[in-house]
Amino acid sequence: MIRHIKTAKASNGGGSDAAVTKAVETLLAKVESGGDKAVRELSVQFDKFDRESYRLSKEEISTAVNSLTKQEREDLDFAQDQIRRFAQAQKDSLKDLEIETIPGVVLGHRNVPVQNVGCYVPGGKYPLLASAHMTVLTARVAGCERVITCAPPFKGQISNKIVAAQALAGADEIYSLGGVQAIAAMAYGTETIQPVDMLAGPGNAYVAEAKRLLFGKVGIDLFAGPTETLVIADDSVDGEIVATDLLGQAEHGANSPAVLITNSEKLARDTLSEIDRLLKILPTSAIASQAWAEFGEIILCDTLEEMVAEADRVASEHVQVMTGDPDYFLKNMTNYGALFLGARTNVAFGDKVIGTNHTLPTNKAARYTGGLWVGKFLKTCTYQRIETDEASALIGGYTSRLCIMEGFAGHAEQANLRVRRYGGRNIPYAEAAAPVKA
């Protein structure tokens, strides 16, 4: 039986806010029609940041990289090495394909990189330089020809640490530009910014809505909402570690869901007590406490099967498994953004350094998609080739009859022409080719 020890008071729902949509539509239209002038006006309005050009010079980028301490540079290099290594392994697992399906008929596919990619790195409450690794670096490994990146200024200044991460990840162009104006500039292009084919990277509700509205004009990585975390735990761990891992993600925002699924009522109660204790000393408790109060849940199950079913129903962005047999959930769960198996790892490792990508599906999108990975920057494009007259006539005969079944006479004639030329048969115009008798 499934019971709730704590129930969330609110739900993100997954839909878009009408007021946000209207505001973003207005901003997008302003940039589309106004170009660089509109981008500058909006940057001044929202970020109090005014420049002739928002593209950073080589000197500014060098200054940002050189501003890192020796330890900061080593830490960034280590993180990017891990992310690059895993992304490269993912790419290496993708193979181009060519097969002769019947004599003379060759089919294949190629994995072709998206040419122009725009990566957004958020920097509002926190300068999320890790997002530079996850987007820019992954696109680079995929082989994208041009990778540009935008990040807002931080407290009215160029965000040097983000810029350093963007540069070290391999960005071709770096812009100190945030919000909807950055997304619009990359998608539509301006007098000085060439448009991109795809947008990637997380952001606030306005950035996320801009990407949603622009989908179709450009590709996007995925629809992203507030950070979510789910901890699945049993009595093999204690309340302190569970509470720490729930609050560690709840600090992202006041609307960040943090959920515990457990088969131990004692652990559930201990976790509640530990959360109360930790919220008194956590520096970001103002945000985390609101998130826990409004969006926190504790679900008590009797069996492992119930725990799996509940976890798949929640379909969380991050799923941390701390049980006696974490691999049971790896084998049986189907809906999750990323799994963190065992108490030795945690979501923060994945957010910052371990190598898997931290741009993941939210709002139950894990039911139908995974997160950002090197394959998102690749287009799997098919091709076909017919190498013999006999194969062309054979395929042509089947195509002719199937097209006439559907009422497509013009399609049928494409096939009939090949049957006439390569098969030497006289097929009446816009009629089905009769089968060849053995």
Side-chain angles (χ1 to χ4, degrees):
M1 185 175 69
I2 297 169
R3 292 166 287 157
H4 280 74
I5 303 296
K6 181 186 184 303
T7 303
K9 297 177 183 178
S11 170
N12 286 319
S16 56
D17 182 288
V20 171
T21 299
K22 184 176 180 180
V24 172
E25 286 174 338
T26 300
L27 296 172
L28 291 176
K30 186 170 185 178
V31 173
E32 183 179 21
S33 61
D36 285 332
K37 182 174 182 290
V39 167
R40 186 174 184 179
E41 289 172 354
L42 293 174
S43 183
V44 172
Q45 178 183 344
F46 292 114
D47 291 325
K48 306 295 187 289
F49 193 61
D50 190 17
R51 288 170 60 103
E52 286 290 332
S53 170
Y54 288 89
R55 181 174 178 176
L56 300 188
S57 66
K58 291 181 179 179
E59 291 74 20
E60 288 174 313
I61 295 168
S62 293
T63 296
V65 173
N66 292 334
S67 73
L68 297 172
T69 66
K70 182 175 182 291
Q71 188 62 58
E72 287 172 338
R73 176 62 186 267
E74 288 178 1
D75 290 344
L76 277 178
D77 285 345
F78 179 84
Q80 293 197 351
D81 284 347
Q82 310 320 304
I83 293 151
R84 185 182 295 106
R85 184 175 294 117
F86 187 64
Q88 186 63 56
Q90 289 181 308
K91 185 183 179 186
D92 292 344
S93 75
L94 298 171
K95 303 298 181 184
D96 290 349
L97 167 70
E98 186 169 286
I99 182 174
E100 188 173 28
T101 55
I102 59 176
V105 175
V106 177
L107 309 180
H109 76 229
R110 295 178 59 232
N111 293 299
V112 181
V114 175
Q115 284 190 295
N116 295 284
V117 172
C119 299
Y120 187 78
V121 179
K125 291 192 297 288
Y126 308 105
L128 296 182
L129 50 152
S131 289
H133 324 325
M134 305 296 177
T135 55
V136 176
L137 196 153
T138 306
R140 269 283 163 251
V141 172
C144 299
E145 185 175 305
R146 171 174 169 257
V147 182
I148 74 171
T149 180
C150 290
F154 189 64
K155 297 180 180 179
Q157 302 292 325
I158 293 170
S159 185
N160 277 335
K161 288 184 173 58
I162 289 180
V163 171
Q166 291 167 320
L168 294 171
D172 294 302
E173 303 163 27
I174 299 176
Y175 297 85
S176 188
L177 192 61
V180 174
Q181 61 270 26
I183 299 297
M186 291 191 286
Y188 293 126
T190 70
E191 298 90 332
T192 59
I193 302 174
Q194 291 298 309
V196 300
D197 304 312
M198 177 181 173
L199 294 167
N204 64 19
Y206 292 87
V207 167
E209 182 64 5
K211 288 172 63 182
R212 187 184 74 83
L213 292 170
L214 288 164
F215 179 57
K217 176 174 179 58
V218 293
I220 65 171
D221 48 357
L222 72 169
F223 300 111
T227 293
E228 307 163 350
T229 196
L230 167 64
V231 174
I232 300 172
D234 62 16
D235 57 11
S236 64
V237 292
D238 56 64
E240 180 186 27
I241 194 168
V242 174
T244 297
D245 290 341
L246 289 169
L247 295 179
Q249 293 302 301
E251 74 176 0
H252 265 282
N255 58 350
S256 291
V259 181
L260 168 63
I261 293 176
T262 182
N263 56 3
S264 168
E265 185 166 356
K266 181 180 184 302
L267 178 65
R269 303 292 179 189
D270 288 348
T271 298
L272 279 173
S273 297
E274 283 296 312
I275 285 175
D276 289 341
R277 181 181 70 83
L278 292 173
L279 283 174
K280 294 172 183 170
I281 59 175
L282 181 67
T284 53
S285 64
I287 296 170
S289 61
Q290 187 177 346
W292 178 248
E294 297 295 320
F295 294 91
E297 288 188 74
I298 297 180
I299 302 169
L300 184 62
C301 299
D302 288 333
T303 67
L304 292 176
E305 291 79 9
E306 285 181 349
M307 293 169 77
V308 168
E310 279 297 284
D312 278 339
R313 179 189 63 80
V314 173
S316 184
E317 176 188 14
H318 306 105
V319 179
Q320 186 162 346
V321 183
M322 297 188 288
T323 64
D325 182 14
D327 283 350
Y328 176 85
F329 293 88
L330 175 62
K331 293 171 185 173
N332 289 282
M333 279 188 66
T334 57
N335 299 338
Y336 55 88
L339 283 178
F340 302 81
L341 300 170
R344 291 184 180 88
T345 189
N346 63 82
V347 177
F349 286 5
D351 278 349
K352 308 304 176 187
V353 68
I354 205 168
T356 54
N357 206 289
H358 77 188
T359 305
L360 299 166
T362 60
N363 290 326
K364 295 186 182 292
R367 293 172 298 126
Y368 59 82
T369 187
L372 183 60
W373 70 297
V374 72
K376 290 274 189 179
F377 295 109
L378 297 168
K379 304 172 293 182
T380 301
C381 302
T382 61
Y383 62 90
Q384 58 172 269
R385 180 170 59 247
I386 293 183
E387 298 180 329
T388 66
D389 293 351
E390 293 80 6
S392 182
L394 174 67
I395 296 295
Y398 281 101
T399 304
S400 172
R401 294 188 294 277
L402 291 166
C403 290
I404 293 299
M405 286 172 63
E406 295 179 344
F408 281 112
H411 282 62
E413 265 307 298
Q414 289 181 269
N416 289 343
L417 185 64
R418 271 70 183 181
V419 176
R420 295 185 195 109
R421 292 193 178 186
Y422 299 114
R425 298 174 59 202
N426 185 22
I427 309 300
Y429 189 82
E431 293 185 16
V436 176
K437 296 181 180 179

